[in-house]
Amino acid sequence: GESVGLHLPTLSVQEGDNSIINCAYSNSASDYFIWYKQESGKGPQFIIDIRSNMDKRQGQRVTVLLNKTVKHLSLQIAATQPGDSAVYFCAENENTGFQKLVFGTGTRLLVSP
Amino acid sequence: EAQVTQNPRYLITVTGKKLTVTCSQNMNHEYMSWYRQDPGLGLRQIYYSMNVEVTDKGDVPEGYKVSRKEKRNFPLILESPSPNQTSLYFCATSISGANVLTFGAGSRLTVL
């Protein structure tokens, strides 16, 4: 598969555990945030998003928390499964008028059966 | 099926030989963009397009060109590739603006 990062921070968990992946974003003016999952050999896939007027949003087995005071974003995955093994990226829309998402460098999640 | 299709998926070429990576989407999305992904650097935007005939530079546009003559296609052109353009390239689209992006499967380019 494609190598997306040789020196990524790695989180190793057991199947069934809850996982928390953290992200520090850079721009206090950012108003929209997204978490993506990238499996080996594939493009990033959307998981969940949150706007800056919220501090928590829940999806199926996933929760995103936003702390604007410290510019911190986290992704919580409940009852982690082997299929959750992937690289996870946070992305921010910096609300500068330039239409781009700025991506973090990613965290590798390894789930052991 | 809604999809973003990139071609080629893999390419090995030599310095200076012009190449084009195609991107096509069937979702009628207005916004299309190109990213490159490198170890330790994450995803960096090369160019984006808000609509037909509207394109703008991203963070790393040097050495690349794009065009948006039709809504569905957004080719990435390397006029004279160099080894530092060896990378994994992704095309990404959204209904409008840099919101929820749908990514293609990626194109691995090696320039010798």
Side-chain angles (χ1 to χ4, degrees):
Chain A
E2 307 291 353
S3 170
V4 301
L6 299 177
H7 305 291
L8 289 174
T10 298
L11 174 65
S12 296
V13 301
Q14 293 287 115
E15 182 177 1
D17 288 351
N18 296 331
S19 303
I20 300 176
I21 300 171
N22 296 304
C23 175
Y25 64 91
S26 56
N27 193 330
S28 56
S30 295
D31 62 354
Y32 180 62
F33 305 88
I34 306 177
W35 279 100
Y36 283 91
K37 171 186 180 183
Q38 187 175 22
E39 296 173 282
S40 182
K42 297 182 179 179
Q45 295 174 277
F46 169 84
I47 302 174
I48 192 168
D49 59 356
I50 188 168
R51 297 214 169 265
S52 58
N53 60 353
M54 304 172 70
D55 53 21
K56 180 179 179 179
R57 189 158 190 231
Q58 288 184 289
Q60 186 178 16
R61 279 202 309 120
V62 294
T63 301
V64 56
L65 298 178
L66 174 62
N67 184 331
K68 295 183 286 293
T69 303
V70 295
K71 293 190 289 186
H72 183 268
L73 200 62
S74 69
L75 177 71
Q76 300 178 358
I77 304 174
T80 314
Q81 302 167 359
D84 294 326
S85 294
V87 176
Y88 290 81
F89 297 94
C90 64
E92 59 184 300
N93 185 324
E94 293 186 320
N95 193 27
T96 59
F98 292 100
Q99 289 293 330
K100 68 176 182 181
L101 290 179
V102 177
F103 286 81
T105 51
T107 297
R108 188 183 310 278
L109 176 66
L110 294 176
V111 183
S112 305
Chain B
E1 180 189 351
Q3 57 187 4
V4 179
T5 303
Q6 297 180 225
N7 280 297
R9 292 290 316 280
Y10 302 92
L11 179 64
I12 300 174
T13 189
V14 295
T15 298
K17 186 177 181 181
K18 180 179 178 180
L19 69 93
T20 299
V21 186
T22 63
C23 174
S24 180
Q25 50 102 356
N26 63 359
M27 297 170 283
N28 202 36
H29 283 178
E30 291 185 347
Y31 178 90
M32 299 185 74
S33 61
W34 278 102
Y35 284 82
R36 60 178 288 175
Q37 186 174 41
D38 302 290
L41 297 176
L43 286 152
R44 294 178 292 166
Q45 190 182 56
I46 304 171
Y47 269 95
Y48 67 93
S49 169
M50 294 294 290
N51 214 323
V52 176
E53 303 291 0
V54 181
T55 63
D56 212 341
K57 296 177 180 178
D59 292 321
V60 288
E62 296 77 20
Y64 305 94
K65 287 173 57 177
V66 292
S67 67
R68 188 89 181 275
K69 294 185 172 65
E70 308 164 279
K71 198 171 188 177
R72 66 181 290 124
N73 295 322
F74 190 46
L76 179 70
I77 304 157
L78 286 74
E79 293 271 4
S80 182
S82 62
N84 64 13
Q85 293 178 298
T86 292
S87 189
L88 180 57
Y89 291 87
F90 288 101
C91 180
T93 76
S94 77
I95 293 174
S96 66
N99 296 307
V100 177
L101 296 176
T102 301
F103 283 81
S107 297
R108 168 68 71 183
L109 172 64
T110 301
V111 184
L112 302 175

